[in-house]
């Protein structure tokens, strides 16, 4: 049986623990803490649904809407709208107000527009890249 004296190193690992320790330490200090990273991940999890994205886009374009109007705009059922709006509200992306029996929704703030704009630009960049390939 043949034996090797050198250890086998997996291709996805470095031979040393840290190649650039000063750079790694500097970047580590600038990263958000674990709680902030978790909150950011939760925001993206809430956004990871086409129906919720359509609701947000409708609110960005139209301002305040009641659930039935959001259903008409997005093509979602009122039940699906209500469910998704609850999730968006829990994620602090939308807020609501009651007026009689109706509930009206608006965006909590406009920062969400930046996230969606960057995402759309990214998709446009990818599409342009695939056309040039």
């Amino acid at each position: 049986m043949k034996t090797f004296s050198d250890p086998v190193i997996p291709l996805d690992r470095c031979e040393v623990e840290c190649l650039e320790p000063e750079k790694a330490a500097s970047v580590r200090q600038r990263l958000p803490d674990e709680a902030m990273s978790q909150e950011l991940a939760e925001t993206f999890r809430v956004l990871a649904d086409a129906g919720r994205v359509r609701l947000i886009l409708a609110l960005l374009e139209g301002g305040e809407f009641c659930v039935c109007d959001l259903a008409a705009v997005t093509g979602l059922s009122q039940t699906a709208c209500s469910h998704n709006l609850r999730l968006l509200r829990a994620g602090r992306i939308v807020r609501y107000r009651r007026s009689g029996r109706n509930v009206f929704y608006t965006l909590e703030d406009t920062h969400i527009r930046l996230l969606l704009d960057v995402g759309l630009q990214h998709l446009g960049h990818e599409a342009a890249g695939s056309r040039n390939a």
Side-chain angles (χ1 to χ4, degrees):
M1 179 172 202
K2 191 174 187 178
T3 62
F4 294 95
S5 60
D6 293 333
V8 176
I9 299 174
L11 294 176
D12 61 345
R13 292 189 44 117
C14 293
E15 292 181 16
V16 296
E17 188 174 325
C18 188
L19 191 60
E20 299 182 68
E22 295 85 13
K23 181 178 179 182
S26 173
V27 169
R28 189 179 320 112
Q29 288 176 345
R30 294 191 309 261
L31 291 178
D33 64 16
E34 185 64 32
M36 182 65 72
S37 296
Q38 185 63 38
E39 196 171 334
L40 182 60
E42 183 63 23
T43 297
F44 281 107
R45 185 194 66 75
V46 169
L47 295 175
D49 177 87
R52 290 191 287 269
V53 169
R54 290 180 59 74
L55 287 167
I56 293 167
L57 291 170
L59 291 170
L60 280 169
E61 293 301 317
E64 185 179 72
F65 277 113
C66 68
V67 174
C68 58
D69 288 343
L70 280 168
V73 168
T74 62
L76 298 170
S77 69
Q78 287 189 35
T79 303
C81 281
S82 292
H83 171 74
N84 285 309
L85 288 164
R86 269 193 304 279
L87 294 173
L88 292 170
R89 195 173 70 224
R92 296 188 335 262
I93 295 171
V94 299
R95 66 176 179 263
Y96 72 98
R97 71 173 179 85
R98 288 193 180 276
S99 179
R101 294 186 58 170
N102 291 323
V103 179
F104 292 87
Y105 286 87
T106 58
L107 291 174
E108 186 68 40
D109 60 48
T110 56
H111 290 114
I112 195 69
R113 179 180 286 279
L114 295 172
L115 285 174
L116 294 179
D117 285 346
V118 169
L120 290 170
Q121 286 175 0
H122 177 70
L123 292 175
H125 173 74
E126 282 185 343
S130 66
R131 284 193 299 264
N132 296 330

